[in-house]
Amino acid sequence: MKKLMTIFMAVCVMARVAGADVWEDLAKYKMAGGKGFPPVAAHKVIVDTPVAEHGAIEEKLIAIIESKDATGDAKIFSCRMLQRVGSEKCVPVLAKLLNDDIMSHYARLTLERMKDSEAAGAALRDGLSKAPDKLKVGIASSLGERGDRKAVKDIAKLAESSCEASAKAALIALGKIGGKNAKKALDKMKVCDGAKDARQDARLSVAVGMRDTKALEDIYKNGKCYKHRGVAVSGLLTIDEGKGAASVADIIKGDDVRLRRSAMRFVSTLGGEKLTKAICGVLSDLPAERQANVIALLGVRGDKSASGALEKYLSAEDKSVKKAAIKTVGLLGDAGTVGKLLACGGSDKEMSEAAARSLAGMTDPGVNGALVKLLGNAESKDTALRALVARNAKDAVPALKKLLTETAAGKRSPAWSALGSLGGKDDLDELMKISLASRDKGDIRAAKDAMKNICTRDTDKDGCVNVVAAYYEKADGITKAFILDMAAVTGSGRGLDLARKALKSDDKDLYKNAVRAMAAWSNSKPEKDLMELAKSSPDEAARILALRGYIQMISKEGNRQKQLERLDVAKGIVKRVDEKRLLISAACKVREDSKVAEFLVSYVDDAEVKVEARKALVEKTKRFRGKGSQALKDALNKIVNDAGSDKELLKEAKEALGKVK
Amino acid sequence: MNLKRTFKRRSFMKVAGAAAIGLPNIITSNALGANGVPAASERIVMAGLGMGGRGADVLREFMSQPQIQVVAVNDVKSAQLASVLGKVKQKYGENNVEGYEDYREVLARDDIDMVFCAPPDHWHAQMMIDACKAGKDVLCEKPLTLTIAEGRKIVNAARKYGRIAAGGSQRVWQDYGRAACAANSGLFGKVLEANANPGGPSRPCYLPGKGDPKKDGVNWDLWLGPAPWAPYNAYRCGRSYGLGGKGFRTWEDYSGGMMTDWGGHKFGGAMHGLQLEHTGPNLITPPKDGEPLTYHFATGQKLKVQGGANYVCEGGKVGNNTLRDLKVPAGLRTYKDGCRSLVQDFVRCVETREAPFREVEWSHRAATICHLGNICLKLNRPLKWDPDKEDFIGDVEASRMVDRPRRGVWQI
């Protein structure tokens, strides 16, 4: 229906444009119930007309505004359109509207925005002198927006109005216009009490515009209001940074909390190197808490010239100051500061973590190289490694491999960990060789974790498995198990072939390792193998392992129907209580609430798992869609009847029952 | 406008009296720092301005911050004001919170450090700038502005008065942050394009006058504020979401439509991931020949108004689910350490004076993208834009749309 209406409306509009006179219709237009056909049609004409031909449209709009017969709504719409297409031609027509209660604002839409038109300015000035008082404020504001200095005298009169809001608006206009005359007028005028703040604001704007440092300094030093003193300082910072910077430094040392809050904000937003230097200069005079705060702000400020001055705070005794310095030096520093950041971490865990975080965020392209160079430093090596990982510094991988070979086996797990995060498929072969040469159990474990991590991340899963599979035939049992583990992580088809081959082995340990790997497979590829093993493996432990693996695989992949089928298959062979629990848990993960609810019914009376089954059934039924079976209703009624003192279960079961009915 | 009518002197004096002695009317144990709540001297005293639906929601999050004490709320719709006032009083006590119809009375209070604004869009610039002038830090709901020029004025006011000022949109990080992290992780090469589609623009309002604002409990003149005068109609000022004609977001005098409302989120997110929050495009091209509305940046990157929140990188398309292991890449802005929401981030910055996540310059740039899109759609031609001067190049009609005159006393 909505579509039909839209098409109907569009056809009506098109008919208007093509046929009868759009402008005649517009002239008669009255706002009514949202059926804005004439304005919409007129707007379409404007959009479809090349800019060079907008003069003709302007004439039509002017004619409507001048017409005695045109409606007010049509005139308003025409004024709105003139904001877009109006030229000097429409100025005299709009000027006449400035005295009109409602139309004055609409006339300003165009006159204010015709920035380069002297005629528009003259019309507004004339309007300001003749318009009724209540319309003057809008006209004055338009003149202020245009920065019309010829209007200062009349706007200044308005600023002396007893109406606080009008006076404030006029003062804003004077502030925008600026210049000597505005300054004189502001100094001389008497404003109502409520507008005194606005006058001081205007004075400040004018002073900044005139680059009048003397006036600004005077307001900063002798002013009573913290807001104006703050504005004076921000003004000074923009026109005489040295003076502004000295003022900010004074304020930061001082006790005026509210003024200091403004100045602290200037630290992160205004000024240049002079302000940075001034702030660094007063840092040592500040109490620790403020010192830490200002150091952090210097980081936000981003002026690298502060970096050198802040390095001494890397060894500050106060922890908050030291942490702030670590963070800020990282933000401002370059490759040359890497060593200092690493050194300041030392043996303090909290500080070395802060240093690693800071190093991780550094943007200088030389930072990775600097970190690599300092990997040899035993005290800071772990911090450097953490930073390299956080920086995703793949260019550090060759250096990390070299570090592995140069470090004693028992001490290289941090390097393995870093390689696991940064290495790729192409590094696996070399890492495999290094790990095979190791005899240290901890080292081998770290190597395996690293290589698993690489296999998990790399998108070429088969490629990764191919690299390690090359070592399979000649490997010992432990290594074979490890290769199968990696295959499980990747879920690769090539890896699955290896696992299947291992199942045929006479080596019982290898057989179990293959089953274990299949049970932990990252996808559902070994689904059939696992079911077969669960049903008919000669080894009981392998049967249990395979069944668990199968159950955990149920919701891993495949559509919901496939997952439901797996549930049914598993249900046929689960016997042990822990397996039933696993199956119920797996059923909950299948996002087919209605069918899973029906599936769970059969466990509601199973004494071994009825508590879990009943909770799961209620949970699934709460999201039930469609009609439930009688068995499901009976099961839910039973849960309600048996709930006893379990009020929560009772409430939820009743809710679930409501869904089924 | 008759100011005396809108100013409630009596309530103002009541509050001013309380402020003068510097303590809430009733000193609770919380006020003295019990129950893990900071002592009154360490709290941030705040007010909520324009507290309709969304405003009340966000205000609730502010109220859950231990260091926040809400002492005033404002709305020009009496039912909304009563509703939010009741909720705030529940938290802080009957006598510790005041309701105001006119936000200027709230800003006149010297005891308030910070305000949160969530009125309709045409009020955002006015309230934010007035808040800065009154020495208050200010967070404003998105979209930051109704016009491009308003945004620059807000930024300038925040700088001049040394205020923490920020725009809303929790979604920039919470919804699109993962995609931005993935795109900037370095794993997919250079970020070439962003896709985001917020929805359509607002349109002129042709609704006739209908109903009585007084009966509906609306101060209509104050609701209109800087917008052109128009007869009252509940559908002009309604809160109904979308462009269906029953809420203010439909009408261009009060809002930029979905383009600005969702644009605050989606374009904000896109610009964040492109790391172009600090600038703007240099060309905007309207939809043509199957290509969507597109923003072209000096870096060669593009923002296309289509599809979901994702990025096209040298190594392929990257979205929210591309990386499981979320790491924030160096140089990509995020909330401050330990902050889990936009509100927490803002409150932290009010305390430390750091730049909040949605710092006002960046919010202004995101809002500008929205407005540029609306102007381009309206003019239906390619527009050259100078992101430094913030004006169109060689297109007078477009330049006139950078700002709009404001009604009567509502000047910024």
Side-chain angles (χ1 to χ4, degrees):
Chain A
M1 191 62 189
K2 267 187 177 176
K3 272 189 179 174
L4 279 175
M5 277 302 291
T6 312
I7 293 166
F8 172 72
M9 284 173 70
V11 170
C12 289
V13 169
M14 293 307 291
R16 288 289 188 192
V17 175
D21 192 307
V22 169
W23 310 108
E24 271 180 27
D25 286 352
L26 180 61
K28 294 175 211 157
Y29 173 66
K30 281 186 182 174
M31 286 202 285
K35 292 174 185 169
F37 298 141
V40 173
H43 184 258
K44 179 157 175 44
V45 172
I46 294 170
V47 170
D48 293 345
T49 305
V51 177
E53 294 166 30
H54 278 179
I57 292 173
E58 183 183 12
E59 280 176 18
K60 298 281 186 189
L61 295 169
I62 288 172
I64 291 172
I65 293 169
E66 288 191 311
S67 164
K68 284 179 184 169
D69 300 327
T71 63
D73 290 341
K75 291 183 181 188
I76 285 175
F77 180 79
S78 300
C79 284
R80 284 179 185 270
M81 289 298 99
L82 280 175
Q83 186 189 354
R84 180 165 163 187
V85 303
S87 69
E88 302 259 332
K89 267 188 204 167
C90 71
V91 171
V93 182
L94 294 176
K96 287 179 202 163
L97 303 180
L98 287 171
N99 285 336
D100 184 284
D101 265 8
I102 290 172
M103 296 305 293
S104 182
H105 178 80
Y106 291 99
R108 284 172 48 222
L109 293 183
T110 306
L111 296 174
E112 181 179 312
R113 298 297 301 154
M114 291 174 73
K115 295 267 171 161
D116 297 329
S117 166
E118 175 48 35
L124 284 165
R125 288 195 299 274
D126 192 46
L128 182 62
S129 63
K130 292 174 184 166
D133 282 355
K134 64 179 177 180
L135 298 179
K136 279 185 174 167
V137 65
I139 299 170
S141 299
S142 285
L143 287 160
E145 203 60 45
R146 293 171 60 91
D148 191 331
R149 293 199 171 179
K150 291 178 190 168
V152 166
K153 202 174 158 190
D154 285 338
I155 297 175
K157 269 187 212 163
L158 189 62
E160 292 183 303
S161 162
S162 58
C163 167
E164 183 183 316
S166 295
K168 280 181 174 174
L171 287 162
I172 290 172
L174 283 176
K176 284 179 190 166
I177 293 169
K180 280 183 189 170
N181 289 339
K183 182 180 185 302
K184 268 187 203 167
L186 284 164
D187 288 343
K188 211 169 115 188
M189 70 175 53
K190 284 182 182 168
V191 297
C192 61
D193 283 351
K196 282 184 176 165
D197 263 8
R199 177 166 71 165
Q200 193 71 321
D201 269 333
R203 273 180 171 154
L204 283 158
S205 296
V206 172
V208 173
M210 294 174 70
R211 305 183 68 80
D212 185 350
T213 49
K214 203 177 157 195
L216 293 172
E217 278 185 301
D218 181 50
I219 293 173
Y220 165 58
K221 284 177 184 161
N222 304 316
K224 286 175 186 164
C225 167
Y226 78 95
K227 287 173 280 191
H228 296 137
R229 293 182 69 206
V231 174
V233 173
S234 71
L236 280 171
L237 280 170
T238 57
I239 58 178
D240 186 339
E241 194 192 340
K243 286 181 179 166
S247 310
V248 172
D250 274 350
I251 296 168
I252 286 177
K253 275 195 292 185
D255 297 325
D256 186 333
V257 178
R258 292 193 295 187
L259 185 56
R260 197 166 67 224
R261 288 167 71 80
S262 296
M264 299 274 257
R265 191 67 189 126
F266 300 151
V267 173
S268 50
T269 53
L270 297 177
E273 279 193 22
K274 284 181 186 169
L275 178 58
T276 306
K277 199 175 167 189
I279 301 299
C280 290
V282 295
L283 268 179
S284 55
D285 301 335
L286 304 179
E289 192 185 354
R290 207 181 301 169
Q291 205 176 51
N293 195 174
V294 175
I295 289 172
L297 291 177
L298 285 165
V300 178
R301 179 173 176 76
D303 183 348
K304 293 188 184 301
S305 68
S307 183
L310 294 179
E311 281 173 11
K312 69 177 176 185
Y313 296 97
L314 290 173
S315 51
E317 279 185 21
D318 184 280
K319 278 198 166 187
S320 63
V321 174
K322 186 170 178 172
K323 269 175 105 169
I326 289 173
K327 188 175 178 184
T328 297
V329 169
L331 287 169
L332 305 179
D334 53 22
T337 42
V338 167
K340 288 161 193 156
L341 279 169
L342 281 175
C344 75
S347 55
D348 183 329
K349 200 178 166 194
E350 190 185 351
M351 291 304 153
S352 71
E353 272 173 15
R357 269 200 307 276
S358 180
L359 287 159
M362 291 181 80
T363 51
D364 183 348
V367 169
N368 288 356
L371 283 166
V372 163
K373 271 186 194 164
L374 293 164
L375 279 175
N377 185 330
E379 251 198 18
S380 61
K381 187 174 68 183
D382 288 0
T383 307
L385 286 170
R386 279 209 302 277
L388 284 168
V389 170
R391 295 177 63 77
N392 198 26
K394 298 206 178 294
D395 53 342
V397 168
L400 293 176
K401 285 193 278 195
K402 191 165 170 255
L403 183 68
L404 271 187
T405 56
E406 290 172 354
T407 309
K411 293 183 176 176
R412 57 193 188 188
S413 67
W416 276 116
S417 171
L419 274 163
S421 298
L422 299 173
K425 182 191 73 182
D426 297 340
D427 305 306
L428 276 176
D429 188 56
E430 200 175 339
L431 298 183
M432 196 73 189
K433 280 180 185 143
I434 298 172
S435 82
L436 288 175
S438 178
R439 290 286 169 267
D440 183 287
K441 279 186 183 172
D443 189 50
I444 293 169
R445 203 163 38 243
K448 284 178 182 175
D449 287 345
M451 285 190 272
K452 266 192 191 175
N453 192 0
I454 290 173
C455 292
T456 310
R457 283 186 299 101
D458 204 297
T459 49
D460 182 5
K461 305 291 183 201
D462 276 336
C464 286
V465 173
N466 281 341
V467 174
V468 291
Y471 292 85
Y472 186 81
E473 293 301 338
K474 290 181 185 172
D476 58 18
I478 294 173
T479 307
K480 279 183 176 162
F482 162 55
I483 292 171
L484 290 173
D485 274 358
M486 281 217 280
V489 166
T490 62
S492 118
R494 169 88 168 95
L496 190 56
D497 291 343
L498 283 182
R500 284 174 180 150
K501 194 175 168 188
L503 286 178
K504 291 174 188 164
S505 163
D506 293 334
D507 181 339
K508 284 187 181 173
D509 285 340
L510 183 59
Y511 177 87
K512 272 189 191 166
N513 284 331
V515 177
R516 192 171 286 118
M518 278 186 170
W521 216 255
S522 64
N523 54 34
S524 61
K525 278 181 185 163
E527 179 184 357
K528 285 182 184 165
D529 307 76
L530 285 169
M531 184 41 65
E532 192 55 39
L533 286 164
K535 282 180 184 168
S536 55
S537 172
D539 184 315
E540 194 194 348
R543 283 200 304 276
I544 294 169
L545 212 52
L547 181 57
R548 283 183 184 177
Y550 184 86
I551 293 171
Q552 279 163 356
M553 195 171 281
I554 285 172
S555 60
K556 259 184 194 164
E557 276 184 344
N559 58 28
R560 293 176 189 182
Q561 186 54 40
K562 180 73 188 163
Q563 293 177 10
L564 288 168
E565 282 169 24
R566 288 181 191 140
L567 276 180
D568 284 334
V569 171
K571 188 181 170 188
I573 54 169
V574 293
K575 285 174 192 152
R576 298 154 56 94
V577 60
D578 55 330
E579 289 165 354
K580 288 178 191 171
R581 282 189 185 129
L582 264 182
L583 186 62
I584 290 167
S585 162
C588 291
K589 289 179 191 161
V590 176
R591 299 173 77 179
E592 184 63 64
D593 300 319
S594 312
K595 289 180 179 163
V596 171
E598 300 283 1
F599 170 86
L600 290 166
V601 168
S602 59
Y603 289 100
V604 166
D605 289 327
D606 187 325
E608 289 180 325
V609 290
K610 71 177 184 185
V611 175
E612 296 89 340
R614 288 178 179 207
K615 277 190 177 164
L617 177 62
V618 166
E619 195 56 40
K620 280 287 177 188
T621 315
K622 279 197 311 198
R623 294 192 287 271
F624 198 89
R625 298 258 190 286
K627 200 177 171 189
S629 68
Q630 190 55 46
L632 177 61
K633 288 175 194 167
D634 292 345
L636 285 167
N637 275 317
K638 195 176 285 178
I639 296 171
V640 170
N641 294 334
D642 295 352
S645 59
D646 190 343
K647 285 182 184 170
E648 198 174 333
L649 181 66
L650 181 66
K651 186 184 158 202
E652 291 190 347
K654 281 183 178 172
E655 187 190 331
L657 200 55
K659 292 269 178 181
V660 178
K661 282 172 181 170
Chain B
M1 197 183 72
N2 182 353
L3 273 174
K4 280 181 184 167
R5 187 166 61 79
T6 57
F7 266 78
K8 285 184 176 171
R9 288 292 171 193
R10 200 171 53 157
S11 69
F12 172 74
M13 291 312 290
K14 186 176 159 188
V15 171
I21 58 168
L23 283 172
N25 293 346
I26 294 173
I27 305 172
T28 62
S29 58
N30 279 356
L32 297 170
N35 303 329
V37 176
S41 61
E42 288 168 20
R43 272 186 241 163
I44 298 169
V45 178
M46 75 168 283
L49 310 180
M51 290 290 102
R54 177 64 187 154
D57 285 348
V58 179
L59 190 67
R60 204 162 41 228
E61 199 190 335
F62 272 109
M63 283 157 56
S64 70
Q65 308 302 313
Q67 65 274 57
I68 290 290
Q69 169 118 21
V70 179
V71 297
V73 284
N74 141 270
D75 205 281
V76 299
K77 292 183 175 178
S78 55
Q80 280 180 192
L81 179 59
S83 165
V84 74
L85 186 60
K87 286 172 192 163
V88 181
K89 281 185 170 179
Q90 248 178 8
K91 163 94 180 177
Y92 297 104
E94 184 67 26
N95 298 318
N96 295 330
V97 191
E98 289 290 337
Y100 298 82
E101 186 184 63
D102 191 323
Y103 78 100
R104 291 171 295 188
E105 291 184 65
V106 180
L107 294 183
R109 285 180 60 165
D110 207 30
D111 60 332
I112 292 171
D113 305 310
M114 178 190 113
V115 294
F116 164 60
C117 317
D121 308 359
H122 65 288
W123 266 109
H124 289 183
Q126 185 80 47
M127 279 190 185
M128 284 192 83
I129 291 171
D130 286 352
C132 289
K133 283 184 180 177
K136 322 293 186 204
D137 295 325
V138 54
L139 172 70
C140 182
E141 257 302 307
K142 56 84 203 157
L144 190 75
T145 50
L146 187 66
T147 73
I148 294 170
E150 283 181 351
R152 181 51 55 203
K153 288 176 185 172
I154 295 171
V155 174
N156 288 344
R159 299 287 180 265
K160 183 172 160 186
Y161 291 89
R163 302 332 307 168
I164 301 292
S169 181
Q170 74 290 359
R171 291 180 185 272
V172 166
W173 181 254
Q174 284 152 224
D175 286 14
Y176 310 122
R178 294 189 71 87
C181 284
N184 288 281
S185 64
L187 297 171
F188 306 95
K190 198 180 165 195
V191 192
L192 305 174
E193 286 178 15
N195 291 315
N197 189 357
S202 53
R203 55 184 188 267
C205 182
Y206 305 122
L207 291 173
K210 190 179 177 187
D212 180 355
K214 279 184 190 163
K215 276 187 188 165
D216 290 353
V218 180
N219 183 331
W220 181 236
D221 191 50
L222 207 48
W223 188 91
L224 284 172
W229 183 87
Y232 174 74
N233 186 312
Y235 286 163
R236 275 185 188 267
C237 60
R239 269 170 42 196
S240 173
Y241 197 71
L243 301 175
K246 293 185 179 177
F248 72 88
R249 291 181 186 85
T250 313
W251 314 122
E252 67 182 19
D253 279 344
Y254 322 120
S255 168
M258 292 300 102
M259 177 69 93
T260 55
D261 202 64
W262 267 95
H265 296 311
K266 294 193 174 188
F267 290 155
M271 298 285 278
H272 177 236
L274 291 170
Q275 298 210 39
L276 293 172
E277 312 98 317
H278 56 287
T279 182
N282 51 18
L283 176 69
I284 309 104
T285 50
K288 197 179 178 187
D289 302 331
E291 276 295 301
L293 173 66
T294 303
Y295 303 86
H296 307 254
F297 296 85
T299 54
Q301 290 161 297
K302 289 177 189 172
L303 166 57
K304 291 187 172 177
V305 184
Q306 64 181 7
N310 53 43
Y311 300 90
V312 179
C313 300
E314 283 169 331
K317 205 177 249 187
V318 173
N320 264 337
N321 298 319
T322 304
L323 290 185
R324 281 185 196 172
D325 182 19
L326 180 71
K327 279 181 191 161
V328 182
L332 192 73
R333 289 184 303 110
T334 179
Y335 297 153
K336 304 286 162 299
D337 292 344
C339 295
R340 286 181 298 172
S341 72
L342 191 81
V343 164
Q344 284 184 5
D345 179 82
F346 181 77
V347 171
R348 167 82 65 86
C349 293
V350 167
E351 290 168 328
T352 65
R353 316 310 287 168
E354 289 176 85
F357 177 67
R358 291 278 289 157
E359 209 275 332
V360 69
E361 170 76 29
W362 303 323
S363 298
H364 157 56
R365 294 291 186 169
T368 298
I369 293 282
C370 308
H371 300 313
L372 290 174
N374 271 348
I375 294 171
C376 187
L377 290 175
K378 192 170 254 188
L379 297 179
N380 196 31
R381 57 179 177 255
L383 299 172
K384 287 182 187 169
W385 174 251
D386 182 332
D388 297 326
K389 290 181 183 165
E390 296 188 301
D391 200 357
F392 294 95
I393 301 167
D395 194 319
V396 174
E397 286 189 10
S399 286
R400 286 189 189 167
M401 295 180 186
V402 169
D403 202 7
R404 302 175 197 177
R406 307 168 68 78
R407 189 170 67 105
V409 298
W410 302 107
Q411 302 302 324
I412 54 177

